[in-house]
Amino acid sequence: MRKLTASVVLSVLMTVFGLGMVWAEDDTTYGWIEKAGIGSLGAVAKAKLDSGALTSSINAKNIERFERDGDEWVRFTLTLEDQKTEERVAERMELPLQRNLTVRGAGGKDERPVVLLKICMNDTIYEEQFSLRDRSDMLYPVLLGRRTIQHLGKLDVTRTFLHDPKCNADSPVKYFDEQEAQNDIDA
């Protein structure tokens, strides 16, 4: 009973004093697996929301770095199974390199390019950083890390598929915030 009372009092205080703003702007709750609309592909992919990962990742093949007008760019092919049609879809893309991500694990060290991509979650389009990696051996072609999850809302790790992507030309777009990302890196 004491825990319940303390929890209720804390919730009331947070509401009264506006402390609830510590969470994402949106109170929407997402499951640990959701469907995401993938930018220009017009396809819907399974996405794993992984609070253990910092940066989001997407299945990309034939990754090539190149220079264009003195800037670093990345050429790659997005490949995934469209959950609407159950067909494999692919799109060859060329995007500016945002940064390089070094991943260290039991298998050693891996450097991955990071690009900006747009995804549709629920009814909103999010422009987010994604590391490019061949994820064809993974169950989920899209992994959404903490930097993306913080923009979505709350995460309920006990549930799945709470929202279908339903974006259109009139959907709100939340653009990538370079300053916020830099603060996150410096922290």
Side-chain angles (χ1 to χ4, degrees):
M1 182 69 177
R2 184 181 271 185
K3 274 188 175 179
L4 179 61
T5 304
S7 182
V8 170
V9 169
L10 181 60
S11 294
V12 170
L13 287 173
M14 289 174 70
T15 302
V16 170
F17 293 109
L19 299 175
M21 296 306 288
V22 172
W23 293 313
E25 299 165 9
D26 193 345
D27 269 352
T28 304
T29 300
Y30 290 85
W32 72 277
I33 303 171
E34 291 289 350
K35 291 181 181 174
I38 307 302
S40 61
L41 267 178
V44 173
K46 287 183 185 177
K48 177 181 177 182
L49 282 70
D50 185 350
S51 64
L54 183 60
T55 303
S56 297
S57 181
I58 195 163
N59 187 41
K61 297 182 179 184
N62 307 315
I63 301 167
E64 304 170 43
R65 297 166 189 261
F66 66 99
E67 191 173 303
R68 177 178 287 162
D69 299 326
D71 295 321
E72 292 183 80
W73 281 61
V74 184
R75 180 181 297 122
F76 58 96
T77 304
L78 282 185
T79 306
L80 53 91
E81 180 182 327
D82 187 346
Q83 296 299 298
K84 297 182 295 189
T85 64
E86 296 182 1
E87 293 178 12
R88 295 214 55 80
V89 294
E91 180 181 5
R92 190 76 173 149
M93 303 180 83
E94 293 183 355
L95 293 171
L97 177 71
Q98 293 294 304
R99 64 186 175 95
N100 290 300
L101 173 68
T102 302
V103 179
R104 290 175 182 83
K109 189 167 100 170
D110 185 25
E111 188 171 285
R112 302 176 190 166
V114 175
V115 297
L116 286 180
L117 292 172
K118 289 183 180 168
I119 61 165
C120 171
M121 296 295 292
N122 194 6
D123 60 356
T124 304
I125 298 168
Y126 296 88
E127 182 183 58
E128 297 288 339
Q129 287 189 342
F130 282 85
S131 70
L132 303 177
R133 176 177 188 257
D134 185 345
R135 297 180 56 83
S136 55
D137 60 336
M138 306 285 190
L139 288 175
Y140 307 103
V142 179
L143 180 141
L144 301 180
R146 290 190 308 272
R147 286 188 175 132
T148 299
I149 296 169
Q150 73 184 358
H151 299 131
L152 299 178
K154 297 176 185 168
L155 173 60
D156 183 343
V157 298
T158 66
R159 301 179 68 195
T160 59
F161 301 114
L162 300 179
H163 305 280
D164 283 326
K166 44 190 177 279
C167 297
N168 58 41
D170 297 325
S171 295
V173 178
K174 294 194 177 178
Y175 290 98
F176 177 73
D177 183 340
E178 186 72 42
Q179 184 61 44
E180 178 183 286
Q182 188 58 46
N183 290 342
D184 195 24
I185 291 171
D186 293 340

